[in-house]
Amino acid sequence: MLKFAYHNLLASTLIPSAIPLEKLKESAEIVKVAHQEILSDRRADILGFYNLPELDTNHITDFIAKQDDKFDTMLVLGIGGSALGNKALYSALKTEGELKKKLFVYDNVDPVFLHETLGSVNLDTTIINIITKSGTTAETMAGYMILVDIIKQKFPSDYQKRIVITTDREKGFLRQVIASEGYASFVVPDNVGGRFSVLTDVGLVSSAFVGMDIAALLQGAASMRNRCQNPDIWDNPAYLNALIHFLYYRMGKNISVMMPYSNALYDFADWYRQLWAESLGKRKDNSGRDIFVGQTPVKALGTTDQHSQVQLYTEGPNDKVFTFLTVENFKHDYTIPNLHPDREEVSYLGGRKLSELLNAERFATEIALSQAKRPNANIVFPVIDEFHLGEFIMLYEIQTVFAGKLLQINPLDQPGVEAGKIATYALMGKAGFDKERSDIEQYKKERGLS
Ligand code: PA5
């Protein structure tokens, strides 16, 4: 079970400026209201991610079982919620050395990145999985058209078995493509938003393909979901952490830093960044009032960023809340040899494990931040495996929607990304965007751009 150490988030003699217990008690009413709203959203079936642990995954295991053994790589084309969870899960378990097959995720439209990706995969043994809930995302559709064209030309007789599409059950033009081409397909459920979808086919297909135990992943998620159904914040780590972050945000701590002391978990800090930023960064509250809220999520890596960011974290503005991710037991470890027993500069390291040094440095940073009166928490993975990753995913998904309720915003939409999408359509000549195109011409003229 994941452990959540939150003592340095609460007021103590070391951090007297942290949130006092009374403040949490005074929040009982807003917690109650937010909990009721979550229950009502669940009844209305708009928080589908809560029910994903019960997802029937036979269609995924059947698909994997039917694949030709020669397929040893999956290349995912997707972006945002259709990519970050896949990457995070793969990085976490690949680094632990457990996976048999490879995953690549092409989640940009950078041509050099595509060139590198194509240079790294053997297309003959690769399945391409195009993931897009809407089927309209320019970045993913550009990659889709390039890749499918390449695959069709290279493997004209059996290209269909090399292409998989994950999209809405009914909507979108990709459903027509699936029907006419006969591609295998998977579903992004209607009631699960992109950034909450890692435990749907979106994240499970690539995870099962590379050899992850997706049943254990869902068991971990179920265990955390059950733990976080309790309305009492002291028995519900997601609610407690959301409330504390909300109260800190109200106290001016506009930045939430997630700092794994594990390279394997670094991409989960990236996944968290999207979840927290896109869900909570909102202009309007539920009644349509301008409120411009949101805490900026930042990722840092221990120990690497101790030599980059920690100076700012301890002595810069006291506007951040920190969350460390710690691993108790690493699957691989090294003992540092006592190469210079008579040199005190390094002999203290001799005979110690690298993991011991890593976790000592994590604890040292916790002490340094606490002494500098910076609130910090620690989420402890007994070990990095599917079960604990499932717990972590569910913890943060519930925490995020609960924080959205406390902020009185809609954590499930993303109206702020629309303007950029529309301007891209106009710039790239999509039909129906003439007005936006002429606005852009005016914009360029005013700035002397050609
Ligand atoms: O969380 C979200 O909804 C977004 O980040 C989407 O996942 C992202 O924009 C990709 O959308 P789509 O899956 O429709 O291509």
Side-chain angles (χ1 to χ4, degrees), residues 79-82 131-135 137 140 194-195 274 278 414:
I79 199 162
S82 293
I131 308 179
T132 167
K133 183 174 181 179
S134 60
T137 304
T140 307
R195 55 192 172 275
Q274 185 214 8
E278 206 165 33
Q414 53 283 327

Side-chain angles (χ1 to χ4, degrees), residues 281-337:
K282 296 288 152 76
R283 171 177 177 162
K284 299 211 179 276
D285 70 7
N286 291 327
S287 59
R289 237 171 6 113
D290 276 351
I291 52 167
F292 301 100
V293 289
Q295 196 175 38
T296 303
V298 166
K299 62 173 184 169
L301 179 65
T303 61
T304 311
D305 281 314
Q306 287 178 206
H307 300 267
S308 161
Q309 302 296 301
V310 168
Q311 168 62 32
L312 170 77
Y313 294 168
T314 50
E315 293 193 353
N318 193 349
D319 56 358
K320 304 173 191 67
V321 190
F322 297 89
T323 304
F324 299 114
L325 305 183
T326 305
V327 181
E328 276 177 338
N329 297 291
F330 290 84
K331 290 190 188 142
H332 305 278
D333 211 344
Y334 290 87
T335 302
I336 305 164

Side-chain angles (χ1 to χ4, degrees), residues 158-231:
D158 68 351
Y159 66 90
Q160 290 94 338
K161 68 176 194 191
R162 301 164 185 275
I163 295 165
V164 172
I165 297 183
T166 307
T167 190
D168 186 87
R169 190 180 297 282
E170 288 164 6
K171 288 187 280 211
F173 109 102
L174 282 177
R175 275 287 151 205
Q176 292 155 30
V177 174
I178 291 161
S180 62
E181 293 281 9
Y183 298 142
S185 74
F186 293 93
V187 170
V188 192
D190 225 17
N191 61 356
V192 182
R195 55 192 172 275
F196 295 87
S197 70
V198 54
L199 298 178
T200 69
D201 290 358
V202 167
L204 295 181
V205 174
S206 64
S207 300
F209 176 85
V210 296
M212 269 177 228
D213 181 350
I214 58 171
L217 192 63
L218 294 178
Q219 277 156 19
S223 157
M224 183 57 77
R225 189 264 323 271
N226 297 344
R227 208 171 146 188
C228 296
Q229 317 236 49
N230 199 319

